[in-house]
């Protein structure tokens, strides 16, 4: 990328894990131009060809999903999933879901270091207090447990009280923390015992970022709902909730909706993105490039006493420091390498386009290690 003054940048942030097929990929650009010349908006009063095609592509490539609901962003996808979960609990309880006097399980469990969005429902499920306090009170009913701690989760997942559990299989904003298989399987079991829905937030880690189409595929644990957004339309605003038929069946026309969501322009762009990511060999190459990036960073940074760990899956990588990472990231920006922070501000997050070249990976490693050796002393 180049700024207004002609300075060149190596982009290892991809718009915070959005531009997964790079900037202005020719197939993405062709899809946008093609659709813009035909039809861009109809509202949710109508189905469109590109919306139906995209939903079919997503569901066909997702083992647990039967239906898709479109939104405009990741936080809106999580808001929709909250509403779906609460109505599902009311229907399952056998009450009239539209009876304001009737009650049903409504609590939602979330986890430390989580990030689910900045609107009031998703915000209630987000861990950092500084995101919530200025806007208190947020949505009631959120119960916090410790990520990776099943005993902690078991204390707050309760039959008759919990309607859903929201968890990121790999936390991006939280610091590039990958869940253990036993943790996710344990949550699946706890949800089944409590009659609650398991919701995977793959807004940042989904759609090929980890080297598999969906991050949960690394663990073999399937949710009842999954939220998506960031990379789906290659930089245009879109989100989605993929759900089982059992969840879809409780929703009626008018229960939820969005004027702009799933418009034909963004859906056709997203079709192109999904087609690119699901091409034969693409995800295997993401895995290979991720291994190359992590190995290179470990080798180049391993001797620095402030670098404690390089971790991640595929092309979502975190460099854990024992000091704040902001100064290092700023120096990288100044030098022409775009990387960002995560966690408590002590993790350097690298989420390049999935089409990044080997040469650019090598250059990133060279630049980051050189600057780290100057800054982290």
């Amino acid at each position: 990328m180049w700024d207004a003054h002609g300075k060149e940048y190596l982009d290892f942030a991809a718009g915070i894990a959005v531009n997964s097929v790079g900037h202005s990929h020719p197939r993405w650009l062709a899809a946008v131009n093609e659709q813009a010349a035909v039809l861009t908006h109809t509202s949710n009063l109508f189905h469109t060809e590109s919306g139906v095609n995209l939903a079919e592509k997503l569901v066909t490539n997702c083992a647990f999903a039967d239906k898709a609901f479109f939104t405009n962003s990741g936080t809106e996808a999580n808001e929709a999933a909250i509403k779906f979960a609460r109505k599902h609990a009311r229907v399952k309880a056998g009450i009239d879901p539209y009876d304001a006097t009737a009650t049903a399980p409504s609590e939602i469990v979330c986890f430390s270091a989580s990030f689910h969005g900045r609107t009031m429902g998703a915000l209630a499920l987000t861990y950092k207090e500084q995101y919530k306090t200025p806007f208190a009170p947020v949505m009631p009913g959120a119960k916090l447990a410790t990520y990776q701690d099943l005993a902690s989760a078991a204390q707050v997942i309760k039959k008759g009280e919990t309607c859903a559990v929201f968890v990121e299989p790999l936390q991006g904003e939280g610091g590039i923390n990958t869940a253990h298989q036993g943790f996710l399987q344990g949550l699946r079991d706890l949800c089944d015992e409590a009659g609650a829905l398991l919701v995977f937030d793959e807004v940042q880690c989904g759609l090929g970022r980890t080297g598999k189409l969906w991050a949960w595929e690394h663990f073999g644990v399937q949710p009842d709902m999954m939220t998506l957004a960031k990379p789906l339309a290659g930089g245009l605003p879109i989100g989605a909730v993929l759900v089982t038929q059992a969840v879809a069946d409780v929703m009626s026309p008018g229960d939820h909706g969005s004027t702009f969501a799933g418009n034909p322009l963004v859906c056709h762009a997203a079709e192109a993105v999904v087609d690119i990511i699901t091409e034969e060999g693409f995800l295997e190459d993401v895995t290979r490039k991720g291994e190359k990036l992590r190995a290179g960073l470990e080798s180049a940074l391993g001797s620095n006493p402030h670098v404690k760990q390089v971790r991640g899956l595929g092309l979502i990588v975190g460099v854990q420091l024992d000091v704040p990472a902001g100064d290092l990231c700023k120096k990288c920006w100044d030098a022409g390498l775009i990387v960002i922070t995560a966690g408590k501000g002590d993790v350097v997050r690298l989420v390049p386009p999935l089409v990044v070249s080997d040469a650019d990976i090598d250059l990133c490693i060279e630049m980051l290690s050189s600057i780290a050796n100057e800054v982290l002393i």
Side-chain angles (χ1 to χ4, degrees):
M1 296 195 303
W2 292 263
D3 65 17
H5 306 287
K7 181 177 179 179
E8 185 176 1
Y9 294 86
L10 181 60
D11 184 10
F12 267 64
I16 315 181
V18 168
N19 300 105
S20 62
V21 296
H23 300 276
S24 301
H25 189 290
R27 288 169 59 183
W28 176 88
L29 185 60
V32 171
N33 288 336
E34 178 183 60
Q35 191 61 50
V38 177
L39 182 69
T40 61
H41 179 71
T42 63
S43 86
N44 60 351
L45 297 176
F46 303 95
H47 292 297
T48 66
E49 183 178 6
S50 59
V52 171
N53 288 344
L54 177 60
E56 185 175 30
K57 288 178 189 290
L58 292 172
V59 169
T60 299
N61 284 287
C62 185
F64 81 88
D66 298 299
K67 300 288 184 181
F69 182 91
F70 294 123
T71 68
N72 300 290
S73 65
T75 194
E76 288 182 50
N78 283 320
E79 294 285 347
I82 290 169
K83 292 176 74 172
F84 297 171
R86 285 191 164 172
K87 190 179 182 194
H88 179 269
R90 293 174 74 81
V91 171
K92 190 174 179 180
I95 63 173
D96 178 356
Y98 303 100
D99 181 356
T101 65
T103 61
S106 61
E107 292 181 353
I108 299 175
V109 173
C110 54
F111 293 92
S112 58
S114 63
F115 184 87
H116 297 291
R118 296 179 185 267
T119 49
M120 294 304 277
L123 187 61
L125 307 182
T126 291
Y127 179 63
K128 287 186 179 179
E129 287 299 325
Q130 66 263 38
Y131 291 163
K132 296 186 283 189
T133 301
F135 315 106
V138 295
M139 179 192 75
K143 299 294 181 180
L144 182 68
T146 302
Y147 195 67
Q148 306 280 40
D149 187 339
L150 267 183
S152 172
Q155 291 180 342
V156 291
I157 301 174
K158 300 178 181 179
K159 187 176 181 65
E161 297 181 18
T162 306
C163 71
V165 174
F166 276 63
V167 65
E168 298 155 276
L170 189 155
Q171 294 180 326
E173 175 74 15
I176 321 301
N177 307 312
T178 305
H180 304 312
Q181 194 280 338
F183 175 64
L184 294 181
Q185 184 59 58
L187 292 181
R188 176 73 275 173
D189 295 340
L190 288 169
C191 285
D192 291 343
E193 292 166 9
L197 298 177
L198 181 60
V199 184
F200 285 166
D201 179 336
E202 295 216 8
V203 168
Q204 184 163 167
C205 65
L207 284 162
R209 175 59 59 184
T210 66
K212 291 187 179 293
L213 189 58
W214 316 118
W216 60 261
E217 292 178 310
H218 289 278
F219 314 102
V221 180
Q222 296 185 3
D224 302 291
M225 290 192 275
M226 176 172 63
T227 56
L228 309 171
K230 285 182 179 293
L232 181 51
L236 296 180
I238 192 173
V241 191
L242 303 189
V243 304
T244 63
Q245 190 65 51
V247 175
D249 284 343
V250 307
M251 298 300 292
S252 300
D255 279 344
H256 192 49
S258 171
T259 300
F260 288 102
N263 73 63
L265 180 65
V266 298
C267 284
H268 199 50
E271 283 187 78
V273 172
V274 174
D275 286 345
I276 293 166
I277 291 174
T278 55
E279 283 185 336
E280 185 177 356
F282 186 93
L283 293 172
E284 290 79 3
D285 205 37
V286 171
T287 298
R288 181 191 64 79
K289 289 185 285 192
E291 291 170 351
K292 175 182 175 66
L293 177 59
R294 290 193 303 278
L297 290 171
E298 287 172 351
S299 176
L301 297 172
S303 62
N304 191 300
H306 294 293
V307 176
K308 298 306 176 184
Q309 186 183 30
V310 176
R311 58 178 179 258
L313 282 174
L315 284 170
I316 179 167
V317 176
V319 180
Q320 178 70 60
L321 307 181
D322 63 1
V323 294
D327 190 40
L328 174 57
C329 289
K330 183 181 183 304
K331 296 291 186 183
C332 286
W333 283 36
D334 292 343
L337 172 64
I338 302 177
V339 292
I340 52 180
T341 62
K344 298 176 181 178
D346 55 357
V347 176
V348 179
R349 179 175 16 168
L350 299 96
V351 281
L354 303 184
V355 294
V356 65
S357 68
D358 283 19
D360 283 345
I361 291 173
D362 289 337
L363 181 57
C364 170
I365 294 166
E366 178 184 343
M367 293 177 71
L368 182 55
S369 61
S370 175
I371 297 166
N373 288 333
E374 295 176 3
V375 175
L376 301 178
I377 55 177

